[in-house]
Amino acid sequence: MSWRSASNVAWLRGLSGIREKEPLATRTSFGIGGPADFFVELARNESIEKVLDGCQEREIPCLLLGAGTHLLIADAGIEGLVVRIVTREHHIEGTRIRAAAGLKMMRLARIAADADLIGFEFAIGVPGTVGGAVYQNAGCWGKELREVLLEACGYVPGKGKQKWTPSDLKFGYRTSALRDGALKGALVVDATIQLTRGDGGAAKTLMAKLTSERNETQPIKTKNCGSVFKNPKGDSAGRLVQAAGLKGTREGAAVISNLHGNFIVNEGGATAADVARLIERARAEVRRRFNVELEPEVEQVGRWP
Ligand code: EPU
């Protein structure tokens, strides 16, 4: 709690649009999680950079939030400041699109098709923002963001603006240097994707087909966090959870989906503790039955007991 000095609190209270003890559950796709000590939504890169530098200088913990689609926020909430990035611009230059971090991937997929640019149809199955997608190399239907990413611009608190190539970002399956490496704590400002000129109408038809397929295999209309576990090499977490007989297993109002074993659904009023218990139960049972260690894809953040 050392960051909670009178001068730090006064600085936070002086930020434009700042809110205290702000509930975060409605800002996640799971609908779960306690409040942020301090919360601000920022739509301009200059303000975001100023706030991040201020937090770094003052040693105030700071969490960047996009669409909150792959997060499990603790019931006791989040220490320090949560900054929700709501930058949404995009620029099309030939076959490239530069998109701000706060733009939704699904929206960008439609923007690309509208501009007769193809190769980004997979993004219609990625629920988060562009920033979140760079952070964890998001993907769907066997394709990942790294396959189309040309470069990303970022901001490293205390060091300033940087331009990153895909190799700087050290992408792996559902990870990058931002999530697990040297760029931890850095902000994605925007990402430039390289696409191909093609038939936008056909891209839209394909996206509609993919979406309806996803509708049949994943509980996409429920409150969930996307895939709970990463797929182990050569296998599927959903298949393993099903084979372990865990579909329908429940902790409070959190239940392992009967449609897809790698989804946990909040039926209404589930706590983060319910979900965490369910995750541990599934890991333990899959370990016991198949000797496979499931690694969570969802990121647990905040004050955990
Ligand atoms: N399967 C089962 N039981 C289940 C679920 C799946 O037996 O309950 C089997 C399926 O029949 C299939 C295999 O497991 O043979 C793979 O399942 P699926 O095609 O549903 O894909 P997945 O590997 O479970 C991945 C991504 C999803 C993405 C889909 C569609 C991961 C962890 N998940 O799921 O990404 O939407 O492919 O391409 O890589 C996400 O990351 O949040 C996410 C939803």
Side-chain angles (χ1 to χ4, degrees), residues 4-236:
R4 253 186 196 281
S5 65
S7 71
N8 281 354
V9 170
W11 178 77
L12 284 162
R13 288 189 175 139
L15 296 175
S16 165
I18 195 81
R19 287 179 241 170
E20 284 185 54
K21 297 196 173 58
E22 178 72 6
L24 293 174
T26 55
R27 295 194 166 85
T28 70
S29 57
F30 232 152
I32 294 175
D37 291 345
F38 290 87
F39 175 86
V40 70
E41 275 182 352
L42 297 172
R44 288 180 48 248
N45 291 330
E46 302 71 40
S47 356
I48 300 171
E49 292 163 9
K50 203 182 103 207
V51 167
L52 293 191
D53 281 344
C55 285
Q56 151 111 352
E57 276 161 34
R58 293 170 175 79
E59 297 183 10
I60 299 171
C62 178
L63 180 98
L64 300 169
L65 184 66
T69 49
H70 279 83
L71 284 185
L72 179 58
I73 296 178
D75 297 312
I78 297 188
E79 182 97 18
L81 178 66
V82 172
V83 179
R84 184 157 178 262
I85 309 293
V86 290
T87 53
R88 304 234 160 92
E89 323 73 57
H90 73 273
H91 300 279
I92 300 178
E93 294 154 21
T95 50
R96 295 175 182 177
I97 310 180
R98 182 157 50 87
L103 192 69
K104 291 267 187 73
M105 286 286 278
M106 290 180 178
R107 171 93 187 95
L108 186 54
R110 293 195 187 92
I111 289 169
D114 282 341
D116 283 326
L117 295 174
I118 60 168
F120 201 58
E121 296 77 19
F122 73 92
I124 204 70
V126 176
T129 60
V130 167
V134 176
Y135 175 81
Q136 63 156 354
N137 184 28
C140 203
W141 297 296
K143 289 204 181 308
E144 296 174 330
L145 181 65
R146 71 168 148 193
E147 293 168 45
V148 293
L149 188 86
L150 193 64
E151 63 177 29
C153 290
Y155 190 80
V156 184
K159 291 193 184 157
K161 290 193 174 80
Q162 294 190 352
K163 214 171 243 190
W164 302 314
T165 63
S167 96
D168 296 331
L169 288 161
K170 309 231 175 314
F171 286 127
Y173 168 57
R174 297 294 194 272
T175 191
S176 75
L178 292 155
R179 180 168 177 165
D180 294 308
L183 293 174
K184 241 179 172 166
L187 162 84
V188 177
V189 173
D190 61 43
T192 301
I193 53 172
Q194 173 70 65
L195 305 177
T196 312
R197 182 124 350 252
D199 180 352
K204 283 180 199 169
T205 306
L206 174 61
M207 291 194 292
K209 182 172 158 278
L210 292 171
T211 302
S212 83
E213 269 175 32
R214 200 162 82 90
N215 221 339
E216 278 165 28
T217 56
Q218 298 179 1
I220 59 177
K221 295 202 171 114
T222 64
K223 287 188 165 46
N224 67 74
C225 66
S227 295
V228 173
F229 299 109
K230 296 182 185 181
N231 281 333
K233 248 197 166 58
D235 208 337
S236 151

